[in-house]
Amino acid sequence: MQSQHAAKRPASPSSDGPLVDVGQAEAALVEHYPRLVRLAYLMLPPEQGGRSRRVLTAHALVQRALPRGRTAAPVIPAQPRQSADGRAAHAARPGRRPDRAAQAARPARADDEDGGPGYALVRLQVVRTALRACPSRRRGARRRRAGLSALPPLLPQVWGLRLFPRSGGAEELALEQRLSALSGPARAAWVLRGPERLSDDDVRAVLTDAGAADAAGALREADRVPAEYQLLGSPAFDPCSLQARPTDLVRRRRRLKAALAAGAALVVCGALFGLPDDGWGPDGAAAPPYALNRAAQAALDPGKLTRVSPAVWKSSARTDFSVWPARGDLAGDTGLLRRALAVWTRPGERVRVSATPGTPSGGPAGPPQLLYAGTVDNARVVILHDGLRITRYAEPLDGAEGAALDFARVDGADRAGASALVLGRSDGNVRYLTAPWIRSAGARDLREPGADTADLSLTDGVTSPLAGPVPKPGSCTSWNVLELTDDTGTRLVTDLGELVPAVLTSGRPGAAGKAGEAAGAEALRTWSPFACSLASMRSAGVRSVNAWAFAEQPLPDASGSAAWVCTRAETWQGGGTRVLAQFHTPGAPVGAVAARAEDVPQCGEREPRVLAGVLWKSGAGTWYLLAAGSRGTTSVTATGGVEGTAQGNLLTLEAEQGAQADLEGTLENGDRVTGLR
């Protein structure tokens, strides 16, 4: 007798559903192609084949989802229709757990209209083939059932091209890690609940039709991942918005060239770059060499590196990286410098390469400037500057195996932005290389504004180790920053996981009140409850972060006063700015994020104003909608789930738990400002 838990044979779509011909299915596939590819990408196992392989597989599954002829569509709707108030029509149906937070978290989509029976049929086929690619089944059985049709075709392809989505932030990475821990059916259940907005009954039916053995168990397993569906709107989960990078083009070229051309390349290499011990042999970190033009040859010659005199910065009108002198105990090591330049021009397969967003990673156009070459902990480090980028090359002391190459964009750096660089990280500690105008350095815990600064030694501009700001998951009791002092004052910078630390400032932005450095007592008190929010800005190419206390609001029920602070992160590339409106109540260890936005002018130099709101529960158990606007706001109005108007820049209204409202403020000049969301 077959076990009740044995996998059933994938069921065909119900004969009760409408018939769909190939033309209808093709129209649905073309219209909703990005949506279907995103579903397939999220359902595929993240741990198999890398992101590039996963992207190609997702596109292949969707493009092969058309039926062979007229086929009955599933009776499950393509997506629940929306009622007048914006909620799913099936939300009150039995079998669907009420989850207001999940409903609120789902991002609004331009393609949320019902795709019809054609879309439902194509989606079922995508789910079925995606489940077959999950690692929970035996590999041989999977290949026999799905065949090579579940894999990307061999042709057409562009040789040496890797396609993968853009990298996300810490929140996207954490969500992908949680999804990777789920089984294939559970991951499919989570996706169908979220972007597809299907009820649990409909999800169970789709999984059963797709051949899942235990659909109910998949739903229970999917409950372990929070309903963070709004994160799916980021480029990190969009397999139709891709980055293209080459693989090892030189190695492919060598295999295709004739013996005479390969021999000529080796002769040019030997004449230009010396012996294999200098990084060009088969054991070097650089990719195999090829013939270069004169500019590229000059860029690879250690003897032509630009070296600035130690006294230039004192008389120069510029105070940026271009006036940094060459420092380090290995600044005269020609072999090390030659290896660093070679790897920068052609990093080999074993070199770990990283770049901040918006930073090109190609070779230098001419001889770069040497900023540092020396021994840092257990590595040899070379730092170079080509006017646009800072490039760090690091190799272990025992050889070039495991070399790393990092890029950071620094064009337009000012005195504060060019005050320090990250030399290396080891055992949770960070060493910095400071600018020649820095007189002293210290370590400060941003969470403890009243604590003294711990002095750090400076040796040829290199600081002693400083504990990095890496809070434990779920807790943040400290955030260490670097305090730098020069003839113009004292400033704070923080390591956000990149080569150039971000400068911290505090105060109202705008021409009338330009934000100042964050080293003063008042600025430190402003930053203290919100220091841990800096973790959300890691690896985003952040240039500076400003914290602005834009309002103070009395709390109902004699609960004291709350502080409203806006933090804005500016990036080196200009775009990608991140704005957080945060709310801090008396006695709370850290502030709460009330609203966040990207690429908006609010809270910045161009538009130094902001409006935000939050639901707050008093000690008496009453819920309130609290809203605050920046200086110059004459009235605040709430509409939607909570309605009311207050004169001035503060609004306090009683509300129900989970209520949602739209905020609008009126300014002194009559302009309107909407609340951050």
Side-chain angles (χ1 to χ4, degrees), residues 195-504:
E196 291 300 291
R197 300 183 180 180
L198 295 185
S199 69
D200 286 1
D201 290 340
D202 291 342
V203 171
R204 192 179 295 109
V206 170
L207 292 179
T208 301
D209 287 347
D214 186 8
L219 285 167
R220 290 192 298 271
E221 185 181 353
D223 289 339
R224 300 204 303 259
V225 177
E228 296 172 327
Y229 302 124
Q230 76 279 7
L231 296 179
L232 300 183
S234 71
F237 295 104
D238 187 1
C240 287
S241 178
L242 303 175
Q243 295 185 100
R245 292 291 185 274
T247 57
D248 194 345
L249 303 176
V250 179
R251 177 169 296 181
R252 188 186 72 232
R253 187 173 180 180
R254 285 186 67 202
R255 291 175 179 173
L256 297 178
K257 279 188 175 294
L260 181 60
L266 291 175
V267 171
V268 173
C269 167
L272 293 177
F273 311 118
L275 299 175
D277 292 341
D278 290 328
W280 295 97
D283 296 330
Y290 55 92
L292 304 172
N293 58 37
R294 290 186 177 181
Q297 293 172 13
L300 293 172
D301 186 353
K304 295 185 179 180
L305 284 172
T306 300
R307 297 171 185 257
V308 176
S309 170
V312 166
W313 68 270
K314 297 179 181 179
S315 58
S316 173
R318 302 178 60 175
T319 49
D320 56 15
F321 294 108
S322 66
V323 296
W324 277 34
R327 289 172 285 180
D329 59 311
L330 299 178
D333 189 333
T334 303
L336 173 64
L337 298 178
R338 179 173 287 120
R339 288 195 298 275
L341 293 169
V343 173
W344 182 358
T345 303
R346 296 181 310 281
E349 291 181 341
R350 295 171 294 179
V351 177
R352 300 186 303 275
V353 180
S354 69
T356 58
T359 306
S361 57
Q369 176 188 353
L370 176 63
L371 303 186
Y372 181 85
T375 304
V376 182
D377 296 326
N378 296 318
R380 287 183 288 263
V381 176
V382 177
I383 296 184
L384 302 163
H385 176 230
D386 68 350
L388 172 67
R389 302 163 293 175
I390 293 292
T391 303
R392 180 180 63 187
Y393 168 78
E395 65 180 28
L397 291 177
D398 56 355
E401 182 69 25
L405 190 65
D406 303 304
F407 297 92
R409 184 172 172 177
V410 294
D411 52 316
D414 55 10
R415 187 184 187 98
S419 58
L421 292 173
V422 173
L423 265 185
R425 301 178 181 90
S426 177
D427 299 327
N429 296 320
V430 186
R431 286 186 187 269
Y432 295 90
L433 177 66
T434 61
W437 52 83
I438 297 298
R439 293 190 287 106
S440 64
R444 173 180 287 280
D445 185 354
L446 205 56
R447 291 297 315 281
E448 299 290 341
D452 294 333
T453 302
D455 292 336
L456 297 175
S457 64
L458 284 177
T459 305
D460 200 17
V462 179
T463 67
S464 53
L466 165 65
V470 185
K472 298 178 181 179
S475 67
C476 181
T477 57
S478 66
W479 188 276
N480 294 326
V481 297
L482 178 66
E483 184 175 279
L484 300 172
T485 302
D486 61 15
D487 293 336
T488 64
T490 300
R491 61 182 56 90
L492 300 180
V493 298
T494 184
D495 177 22
L496 294 182
E498 296 172 332
L499 277 179
V500 185
V503 180
L504 301 182

Side-chain angles (χ1 to χ4, degrees), residues 159-183:
W159 286 7
L161 186 65
R162 295 187 295 114
L163 301 174
F164 50 91
R166 295 184 179 275
S167 298
E171 294 176 337
E172 289 86 351
L173 178 59
L175 176 58
E176 176 136 1
Q177 290 174 343
R178 286 193 289 267
L179 289 177
S180 66
L182 297 179
S183 65

